[in-house]
Coordinates of all heavy atoms in Angstrom, one line a residue:
F15 N -55.5 20.9 162.8 CA -56.3 20.8 164.1 C -57.7 20.3 163.8 O -58.6 21.0 163.3 CB -56.4 22.2 164.7 CG -55.0 22.8 165.1 CD1 -54.6 24.0 164.4 CD2 -54.2 22.2 166.0 CE1 -53.4 24.5 164.7 CE2 -53.0 22.8 166.3 CZ -52.5 23.9 165.7
T16 N -57.9 19.0 164.1 CA -59.2 18.4 163.9 C -59.7 17.6 165.1 O -58.9 17.5 166.1 CB -59.1 17.4 162.7 OG1 -58.3 16.2 163.2 CG2 -58.4 18.0 161.5
I17 N -60.8 17.0 165.0 CA -61.3 16.3 166.2 C -60.4 15.0 166.4 O -60.5 14.5 167.5 CB -62.8 15.8 166.0 CG1 -63.0 14.9 164.8 CG2 -63.7 17.0 165.9 CD1 -64.4 14.3 164.7
R18 N -59.6 14.7 165.4 CA -58.7 13.5 165.6 C -57.4 13.9 166.3 O -56.8 13.1 167.0 CB -58.4 12.9 164.3 CG -59.5 12.4 163.5 CD -60.2 11.2 164.2 NE -61.1 10.4 163.2 CZ -62.1 9.7 163.6 NH1 -62.4 9.6 164.9 NH2 -62.8 9.1 162.7
T19 N -57.0 15.2 166.2 CA -55.7 15.6 166.7 C -55.8 16.5 167.9 O -54.8 16.5 168.8 CB -54.9 16.3 165.6 OG1 -55.6 17.5 165.3 CG2 -54.7 15.5 164.4
V20 N -56.8 17.3 168.1 CA -56.9 18.2 169.2 C -57.0 17.6 170.6 O -56.3 18.1 171.5 CB -58.0 19.2 169.0 CG1 -58.2 20.1 170.2 CG2 -57.7 20.1 167.8
P21 N -57.7 16.4 170.8 CA -57.7 15.8 172.1 C -56.3 15.5 172.6 O -56.0 15.7 173.8 CB -58.6 14.6 171.9 CG -59.5 15.0 170.8 CD -58.7 15.8 169.9
E22 N -55.4 15.0 171.8 CA -54.1 14.7 172.3 C -53.3 15.9 172.6 O -52.6 16.0 173.6 CB -53.3 13.9 171.2 CG -51.9 13.4 171.6 CD -50.9 14.5 171.5 OE1 -51.0 15.4 170.6 OE2 -49.9 14.5 172.3
R23 N -53.5 17.0 171.8 CA -52.9 18.3 172.0 C -53.4 18.8 173.4 O -52.6 19.4 174.2 CB -53.2 19.2 170.9 CG -52.7 20.6 171.1 CD -53.1 21.5 169.9 NE -52.9 22.9 170.1 CZ -51.8 23.6 169.9 NH1 -50.8 22.9 169.4 NH2 -51.7 24.9 170.1
F24 N -54.7 18.7 173.6 CA -55.3 19.3 174.8 C -54.7 18.5 176.0 O -54.4 19.1 177.1 CB -56.8 19.2 174.8 CG -57.5 19.9 175.9 CD1 -57.8 21.2 175.7 CD2 -57.8 19.3 177.0 CE1 -58.5 21.9 176.8 CE2 -58.5 19.9 178.1 CZ -58.8 21.2 177.9
A25 N -54.6 17.2 175.9 CA -54.1 16.4 177.0 C -52.7 16.8 177.3 O -52.2 16.7 178.5 CB -54.2 14.9 176.7
R26 N -51.9 17.1 176.3 CA -50.5 17.4 176.5 C -50.2 18.8 176.9 O -49.4 19.1 177.8 CB -49.8 17.2 175.1 CG -48.3 17.5 175.1 CD -47.7 16.9 173.8 NE -48.5 17.1 172.6 CZ -48.4 18.1 171.8 NH1 -47.6 19.1 172.1 NH2 -49.2 18.2 170.8
L27 N -51.0 19.8 176.4 CA -50.7 21.2 176.7 C -51.7 21.8 177.6 O -51.4 22.9 178.2 CB -50.7 22.0 175.4 CG -49.7 21.6 174.3 CD1 -50.0 22.5 173.0 CD2 -48.3 21.8 174.8
G28 N -52.9 21.2 177.8 CA -53.9 21.8 178.6 C -54.6 22.9 177.8 O -54.4 23.0 176.6
D29 N -55.4 23.7 178.4 CA -56.1 24.8 177.7 C -55.2 26.0 177.7 O -54.9 26.6 178.7 CB -57.4 25.1 178.5 CG -58.2 26.2 177.8 OD1 -57.8 26.6 176.7 OD2 -59.2 26.7 178.4
L30 N -54.8 26.4 176.4 CA -53.9 27.6 176.3 C -54.7 28.9 176.6 O -54.0 29.9 176.7 CB -53.4 27.6 174.9 CG -52.4 26.4 174.5 CD1 -51.9 26.6 173.1 CD2 -51.2 26.4 175.5
H31 N -56.0 28.8 176.7 CA -56.8 30.0 177.1 C -57.1 29.9 178.6 O -58.0 30.7 179.1 CB -58.0 30.1 176.3 CG -57.8 30.6 174.9 ND1 -58.8 31.0 174.1 CD2 -56.6 30.9 174.3 CE1 -58.3 31.4 172.9 NE2 -57.0 31.4 173.0
A32 N -56.5 29.1 179.4 CA -56.8 28.9 180.8 C -56.7 30.2 181.6 O -57.5 30.4 182.6 CB -55.9 27.9 181.4
A33 N -55.8 31.1 181.2 CA -55.6 32.4 181.9 C -56.4 33.5 181.4 O -56.3 34.7 181.8 CB -54.2 32.7 182.0
I34 N -57.4 33.3 180.4 CA -58.0 34.4 179.7 C -58.9 35.2 180.6 O -59.0 36.4 180.4 CB -58.9 33.8 178.6 CG1 -59.3 34.9 177.6 CG2 -60.1 33.0 179.1 CD1 -59.9 34.4 176.3
D35 N -59.4 34.7 181.7 CA -60.2 35.5 182.6 C -59.4 36.1 183.8 O -60.0 36.8 184.6 CB -61.3 34.6 183.3 CG -62.3 34.1 182.2 OD1 -62.8 35.0 181.5 OD2 -62.6 32.9 182.2
D36 N -58.1 36.0 183.7 CA -57.3 36.5 184.8 C -57.3 38.0 184.9 O -57.2 38.6 186.0 CB -55.8 36.0 184.7 CG -55.7 34.6 185.1 OD1 -56.7 33.9 185.5 OD2 -54.6 34.0 185.0
E37 N -57.4 38.7 183.8 CA -57.4 40.2 183.8 C -58.3 40.7 182.7 O -58.3 40.2 181.6 CB -55.9 40.7 183.6 CG -55.8 42.2 183.7 CD -54.4 42.7 183.8 OE1 -53.4 41.8 183.6 OE2 -54.2 43.9 183.9
A38 N -59.0 41.7 183.0 CA -59.9 42.4 182.1 C -59.3 43.8 181.8 O -58.9 44.5 182.8 CB -61.3 42.5 182.6
Y39 N -59.4 44.3 180.6 CA -58.8 45.5 180.2 C -59.8 46.6 179.8 O -60.9 46.3 179.5 CB -57.8 45.2 179.0 CG -56.7 44.3 179.3 CD1 -56.9 42.9 179.1 CD2 -55.5 44.7 179.9 CE1 -55.9 42.0 179.4 CE2 -54.5 43.8 180.2 CZ -54.7 42.4 179.9 OH -53.7 41.6 180.3
S40 N -59.2 47.8 179.8 CA -60.0 49.0 179.5 C -60.0 49.2 178.0 O -59.0 48.9 177.3 CB -59.5 50.2 180.2 OG -60.2 51.4 179.8
L41 N -61.0 49.8 177.4 CA -61.1 50.2 176.0 C -60.9 51.7 175.9 O -61.0 52.2 174.7 CB -62.4 49.8 175.4 CG -62.8 48.3 175.3 CD1 -64.2 48.2 174.7 CD2 -61.7 47.6 174.4
Q42 N -60.5 52.4 176.9 CA -60.5 53.8 176.9 C -59.5 54.4 175.8 O -59.9 55.3 175.0 CB -60.0 54.4 178.2 CG -60.2 55.9 178.3 CD -61.6 56.3 178.1 OE1 -62.6 55.8 178.6 NE2 -61.8 57.4 177.2
T43 N -58.3 53.8 175.7 CA -57.4 54.3 174.7 C -57.9 54.0 173.3 O -57.8 54.9 172.4 CB -56.0 53.6 174.8 OG1 -55.5 53.9 176.1 CG2 -55.0 54.1 173.8
L44 N -58.5 52.9 173.0 CA -59.1 52.6 171.7 C -60.2 53.5 171.4 O -60.4 54.0 170.2 CB -59.5 51.1 171.6 CG -58.4 50.1 171.5 CD1 -59.0 48.7 171.7 CD2 -57.7 50.2 170.2
L45 N -61.0 53.8 172.4 CA -62.1 54.8 172.1 C -61.6 56.2 171.8 O -62.2 56.9 171.0 CB -63.1 54.8 173.3 CG -63.9 53.4 173.5 CD1 -64.7 53.4 174.8 CD2 -64.8 53.2 172.3
E46 N -60.5 56.5 172.4 CA -59.9 57.8 172.1 C -59.4 57.8 170.6 O -59.5 58.8 169.9 CB -58.7 58.1 173.0 CG -59.2 58.4 174.5 CD -58.1 58.5 175.5 OE1 -56.9 58.3 175.1 OE2 -58.4 58.7 176.7
W47 N -58.8 56.6 170.2 CA -58.4 56.5 168.8 C -59.6 56.6 167.9 O -59.5 57.2 166.8 CB -57.7 55.1 168.6 CG -56.4 55.0 169.3 CD1 -55.8 55.9 170.1 CD2 -55.5 53.9 169.1 NE1 -54.5 55.4 170.5 CE2 -54.4 54.1 169.9 CE3 -55.6 52.6 168.5 CZ2 -53.3 53.2 170.0 CZ3 -54.6 51.7 168.6 CH2 -53.4 52.0 169.4
A48 N -60.7 56.0 168.3 CA -62.0 56.1 167.5 C -62.4 57.6 167.4 O -62.8 58.0 166.3 CB -63.0 55.3 168.1
D49 N -62.4 58.3 168.5 CA -62.7 59.7 168.4 C -61.8 60.5 167.4 O -62.3 61.3 166.6 CB -62.6 60.4 169.8 CG -63.7 59.9 170.8 OD1 -64.7 59.4 170.3 OD2 -63.5 60.0 172.0
R50 N -60.5 60.2 167.5 CA -59.5 60.8 166.6 C -59.9 60.5 165.2 O -59.8 61.4 164.3 CB -58.2 60.3 167.0 CG -57.0 60.8 166.1 CD -55.9 59.8 166.2 NE -56.2 58.5 165.7 CZ -55.4 57.4 166.0 NH1 -54.3 57.5 166.7 NH2 -55.8 56.2 165.5
D51 N -60.1 59.3 164.9 CA -60.4 58.9 163.5 C -61.7 59.6 163.0 O -61.7 60.0 161.8 CB -60.6 57.4 163.4 CG -59.3 56.6 163.6 OD1 -58.2 57.3 163.5 OD2 -59.3 55.4 163.8

């Protein structure tokens, strides 16, 4: 993955992170794990 190859990949596949902002998650379970540890 270089500046020579990624533009073609992007044109073909689009942004694979396009949906990254669709849902935001809670950290509550992980913080309970932190308390446990």
Side-chain angles (χ1 to χ4, degrees):
F15 301 114
T16 73
I17 61 170
R18 300 295 196 206
T19 63
V20 171
E22 184 280 330
R23 174 183 169 88
F24 189 88
R26 176 167 43 88
L27 300 178
D29 181 8
L30 294 182
H31 283 188
I34 195 169
D35 291 313
D36 286 358
E37 186 171 3
Y39 298 94
S40 173
L41 293 178
Q42 191 57 48
T43 298
L44 284 172
L45 291 172
E46 291 170 2
W47 290 4
D49 291 340
R50 174 202 64 195
D51 290 347

